[in-house]
């Protein structure tokens, strides 16, 4: 049973527009969430995180929104750039605090 | 220099062979992890270690073993490789902290692409 779900395998956006990547989770006990970005032939790199005590965290062009009642978070990239083309993973620590649970990823393609 | 390194970066092996993937880190983290990535399946945890004497199975540990030789080194072995172990393998370390609530950021190596024929 997937506890962290990314239901859109891919997303295509034009340069300069907003990219919105979505993530849903099933466990209401999750209280910390992360987004990772992965380029081909490289390991995932940490992008941004959010604690459940907040509903928004912003870092430059990247903003993560958390809706606890809907068990939903989203990553907004504004403006999108071709270099943002990558696979984005949503993740949350498991309840035992022993590991991160990752979604299956969303491939973002930003065209110029 | 990279904080988390993996060797080899690419490996082709035959069914039944034993192979070892190695991971080293200079971040000084106690926690280390091995994941595999398959198309459409995301990252799945194979094994994790919280210190040199602590080894734990993850979601998909069958067919794999690990060794934590030192705080900085964590190796993954396939005792008898099979074709469905063809995947991208990632090592990661973690700066686990519990300041108020559980928070953890993992830092990944560049990956090893393994092909089992």
């Amino acid at each position: 049973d997937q506890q962290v779900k990314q239901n859109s395998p891919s997303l295509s956006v034009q340069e300069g527009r907003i990219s919105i990547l979505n993530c849903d989770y099933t466990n209401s006990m999750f209280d910390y969430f992360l987004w990772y970005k992965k380029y081909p032939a490289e390991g995932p790199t940490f992008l941004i995180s959010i604690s459940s005590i907040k509903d928004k965290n912003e870092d430059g062009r990247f903003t993560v929104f958390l809706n606890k009642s809907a068990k939903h978070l989203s990553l907004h990239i504004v403006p999108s750039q071709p270099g943002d083309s990558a696979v984005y993973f949503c993740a949350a620590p498991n309840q035992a605090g022993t590991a991160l649970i990752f979604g299956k990823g969303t491939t973002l393609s930003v065209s110029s | 220099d990279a904080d988390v390194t993996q060797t080899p970066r690419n490996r082709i092996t035959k069914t039944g062979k034993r192979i070892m993937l190695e991971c080293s880190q200079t971040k000084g983290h106690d926690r280390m992890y091995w994941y595999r990535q398959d198309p459409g399946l995301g990252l799945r945890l194979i094994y994790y270690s919280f210190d040199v004497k602590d080894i734990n199975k993850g979601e998909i540990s069958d067919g794999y073993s690990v060794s934590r030789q030192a705080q900085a080194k964590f190796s993954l072995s396939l005792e008898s490789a099979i074709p469905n172990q063809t995947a991208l393998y990632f090592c990661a370390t973690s700066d686990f902290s519990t300041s108020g609530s559980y928070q953890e950021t993992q830092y990944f190596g560049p990956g090893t692409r393994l092909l089992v024929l």
Side-chain angles (χ1 to χ4, degrees):
Chain A
D1 182 32
Q2 265 193 288
Q3 298 189 64
V4 177
K5 302 178 184 179
Q6 293 177 258
N7 293 319
S8 298
S10 61
L11 174 68
S12 294
V13 172
Q14 283 192 319
E15 182 178 8
R17 307 294 286 266
I18 184 171
S19 296
I20 300 176
L21 296 98
N22 294 303
C23 179
D24 297 297
Y25 59 96
T26 57
N27 192 333
S28 58
M29 298 301 291
F30 287 166
D31 61 2
Y32 184 67
F33 302 90
L34 308 93
W35 284 95
Y36 282 82
K37 179 168 75 173
K38 184 186 176 305
Y39 292 119
E42 295 183 13
T45 55
F46 170 70
L47 187 58
I48 191 169
S49 63
I50 187 167
S51 168
S52 61
I53 61 174
K54 296 183 177 180
D55 55 15
K56 175 183 173 181
N57 190 27
E58 189 172 355
D59 184 2
R61 296 185 296 113
F62 302 90
T63 303
V64 57
F65 295 93
L66 176 62
N67 182 335
K68 291 187 288 292
S69 61
K71 299 197 189 79
H72 176 84
L73 62 155
S74 59
L75 175 68
H76 293 214
I77 306 173
V78 183
S80 300
Q81 300 174 354
D84 296 328
S85 298
V87 180
Y88 289 80
F89 293 100
C90 172
N94 65 15
Q95 277 188 260
T98 54
L100 290 179
I101 302 171
F102 286 86
K104 293 184 177 182
T106 297
T107 300
L108 173 65
S109 299
V110 181
S111 57
S112 55
Chain B
D1 288 340
D3 295 318
V4 184
T5 57
Q6 292 183 235
T7 56
R9 292 295 313 276
N10 295 279
R11 179 74 183 269
I12 300 174
T13 192
K14 294 182 179 180
T15 297
K17 293 291 187 181
R18 181 182 188 276
I19 67 164
M20 180 183 289
L21 309 182
E22 298 188 352
C23 176
S24 294
Q25 55 114 345
T26 58
K27 299 187 78 68
H29 293 162
D30 287 326
R31 294 190 169 197
M32 297 187 73
Y33 304 80
W34 275 104
Y35 292 89
R36 66 178 277 177
Q37 184 190 8
D38 299 276
L41 294 180
L43 292 160
R44 294 184 294 165
L45 183 64
I46 306 172
Y47 269 95
Y48 61 99
S49 169
F50 288 173
D51 65 40
V52 174
K53 297 181 181 179
D54 180 76
I55 302 290
N56 304 278
K57 293 183 178 181
E59 179 187 354
I60 53 164
S61 59
D62 288 348
Y64 302 95
S65 63
V66 291
S67 174
R68 185 79 184 267
Q69 301 95 323
Q71 187 206 36
K73 296 184 181 297
F74 191 36
S75 59
L76 175 72
S77 294
L78 286 68
E79 297 301 327
S80 179
I82 56 176
N84 77 0
Q85 291 178 312
T86 293
L88 196 51
Y89 289 85
F90 291 102
C91 174
T93 71
S94 165
D95 64 350
F96 172 75
S97 68
T98 53
S99 52
S101 65
Y102 175 82
Q103 297 191 3
E104 176 180 20
T105 300
Q106 292 188 7
Y107 301 89
F108 287 80
T112 295
R113 187 171 296 279
L114 175 64
L115 173 61
V116 183
L117 301 174

